[in-house]
Amino acid sequence: MKVITVLGARPQFIKAAPLSETLRKKHEEKIVHTGQHYDYQMSDVFFEELGIPKPDYFLGVGSKQHGAQTGEMLTKVEEVLLEEKPDWVLVYGDTNSTLAGALAASKLHIPIAHVEAGLRSYNRQMPEEINRVLTDHLSTLLFCPTDQAVHNLALEGLTKGVVRTGDVMADALYFHARRASELRKGDGLRYPEKSYLLATVHRAENTDNPQRLQGIVEAFSRIDGQIVLPLHPRTKKLLQDYKISIPGNVQVIDPVGYLEMVLLEKGAELILTDSGGVQKEAYLWQVPCVTMRDETEWVETVQIGWNTLTGAAAEKIVSAVAAYRQNSLPPYQENLYGNGRASEEIVAALEEQRR
């Protein structure tokens, strides 16, 4: 069985690590890197430290408007598929790379497997929502991380080929946690555990709106304690463009590799984020999370009380942090996102479908 895996963004590199290792034990996989995240800190470092095989194809598309970027990816992925003639095209998540891979495969009648299928924010203003909905409706196999994702697909009439596997992100987290700890033993922790809050800000709904970005930064200034902020290059540029100053209690650092991010998450008192993956990782590390968005795909974490949605309003963000500090956390629910064997279940389903 030959599989073409289409990747392009940082979270996809993380998810691909355990699944690629499992897949390559018995099958042929070739990786196509679209170039959506293209600088060293956002791309190459992940392949190096996670042991992901180097891409067989690097398309070099880079940053563009959504239509231009997706169109160029579609053209170039199609060329690869015509040359390789794979049995499956495997795509992850909800990026433009995801949609381009799925569209190219569908036009060539190649079966599509979508990892992290069924997630919904029900906000069509988000490009990620459009990407995930369209990809799900094009896919032959839909690998769902949660029961809610399965339910979301059923509401849209998608029941065939739906497999509840658990989350490959949980696989990756457990898979690399020990290595991260060993890596850090040699040079000491950058910050003592529970001495800081960890923040990430990169979603277009926040960064492209000066008022929302200002609200988030204002909230940071009103929170007691040190906030560590690995700053996305695009967010950094927009802060400069909007002339928004970073407050003194926020320590800005360059984007970090996945292993260091694991340690930063695990050691944080609390996490503030607009990232989907970081919300989930916070829960897996049993760290409370404040999500600076109006909705989330990971509704389970909100429902059980480990995640609070605040939007970008400074007052709501500050209040959510205070509430976590003042109140006991609810009971932790094991296996909310599976048992760390999603990769094995995905490969088994691909094999079964080919018989």
Side-chain angles (χ1 to χ4, degrees):
M1 182 171 70
K2 180 193 278 191
V3 177
I4 293 291
T5 296
V6 179
L7 305 173
R10 189 168 142 142
Q12 296 168 335
F13 308 147
I14 298 166
K15 296 166 193 169
L19 182 47
S20 284
E21 180 175 276
T22 303
L23 187 60
R24 289 177 183 234
K25 289 176 181 177
K26 294 194 293 182
H27 305 288
E28 180 183 1
E29 181 197 33
K30 292 197 173 179
I31 292 176
V32 176
H33 185 341
T34 64
Q36 186 169 339
H37 282 174
Y38 48 88
D39 69 13
Y40 175 80
Q41 288 175 308
M42 298 296 287
S43 176
D44 290 6
V45 66
F46 279 78
F47 285 87
E48 291 173 9
E49 72 176 8
L50 300 185
I52 307 170
K54 292 292 184 183
D56 299 275
Y57 296 89
F58 182 77
L59 306 185
V61 174
S63 180
K64 292 177 172 62
Q65 290 294 324
H66 286 288
Q69 186 183 64
T70 307
E72 187 174 341
M73 289 174 182
L74 172 58
T75 300
K76 293 185 175 183
V77 171
E78 183 180 61
E79 293 172 359
V80 173
L81 299 184
L82 286 168
E83 179 179 339
E84 292 290 344
K85 298 178 173 58
D87 299 300
W88 287 98
V89 170
L90 184 66
V91 295
Y92 291 78
D94 55 20
T95 68
N96 289 342
S97 300
T98 309
L99 180 59
L103 283 170
S106 68
K107 298 289 187 181
L108 297 174
H109 309 293
I110 299 169
I112 301 156
H114 185 200
V115 177
E116 214 171 62
L119 300 184
R120 295 291 183 270
S121 68
Y122 297 103
N123 178 1
R124 292 293 179 94
Q125 297 302 308
M126 294 173 58
E128 294 89 350
E129 183 78 353
I130 303 299
N131 291 342
R132 64 173 73 103
V133 170
L134 292 175
T135 300
D136 281 342
H137 283 263
L138 292 171
S139 295
T140 305
L141 283 175
L142 300 104
F143 297 123
C144 295
T146 64
D147 293 333
Q148 182 65 48
V150 173
H151 176 68
N152 292 343
L153 292 176
L155 291 176
E156 297 173 17
L158 296 176
T159 56
K160 185 178 179 181
V162 175
V163 186
R164 204 284 200 191
T165 59
D167 196 343
V168 290
M169 189 69 90
D171 291 25
L173 206 65
Y174 302 144
F175 184 78
H176 294 295
R178 183 174 299 174
R179 185 178 178 195
S181 297
E182 291 298 321
L183 175 76
R184 192 51 64 199
K185 278 181 183 176
D187 55 6
L189 290 171
R190 190 190 288 211
Y191 309 99
E193 287 196 358
K194 309 306 177 186
S195 68
Y196 61 94
L197 293 81
L198 177 66
T200 73
V201 185
H202 78 279
R203 288 268 179 185
E205 65 191 271
N206 287 329
T207 59
D208 290 355
N209 185 319
Q211 289 74 34
R212 289 182 70 95
L213 193 55
Q214 179 65 60
I216 289 169
V217 173
E218 180 187 337
F220 290 173
S221 73
R222 293 167 54 186
I223 293 170
D224 291 334
Q226 182 183 34
I227 298 173
V228 176
L229 176 63
L231 194 57
H232 192 288
R234 186 171 175 278
T235 308
K236 181 178 181 179
K237 179 181 184 304
L238 289 168
L239 285 166
Q240 293 168 346
D241 291 348
Y242 301 149
K243 296 181 170 54
I244 298 174
S245 300
I246 298 293
N249 65 321
V250 176
Q251 181 169 358
V252 172
I253 62 175
D254 288 334
V256 296
Y258 181 60
L259 297 184
E260 184 158 4
M261 190 64 177
V262 163
L263 292 174
L264 286 171
E265 290 170 351
K266 190 176 180 182
E269 173 199 352
L270 185 144
I271 291 174
L272 303 124
T273 189
D274 59 9
S275 162
V278 174
Q279 292 173 55
K280 189 172 36 176
E281 289 169 350
Y283 179 76
L284 291 168
W285 288 132
Q286 301 185 41
V287 176
C289 184
V290 172
T291 296
M292 300 174 294
R293 287 170 53 189
D294 299 319
E295 66 285 308
T296 179
E297 305 78 39
W298 304 106
V299 294
E300 303 85 5
T301 58
V302 177
Q303 290 167 350
I304 64 175
W306 280 78
N307 188 5
T308 300
L309 291 175
T310 62
E315 190 61 44
K316 289 184 178 180
I317 295 169
V318 173
S319 295
V321 172
Y324 276 125
R325 284 174 161 172
Q326 292 165 9
N327 302 315
S328 299
L329 285 164
Y332 183 79
Q333 296 185 23
E334 298 284 348
N335 294 330
L336 190 65
Y337 294 115
N339 58 10
R341 299 186 63 182
S343 297
E344 296 172 29
E345 295 192 30
I346 288 169
V347 172
L350 291 169
E351 293 171 340
E352 180 65 28
Q353 188 77 12
R354 289 298 299 169
R355 288 175 189 166

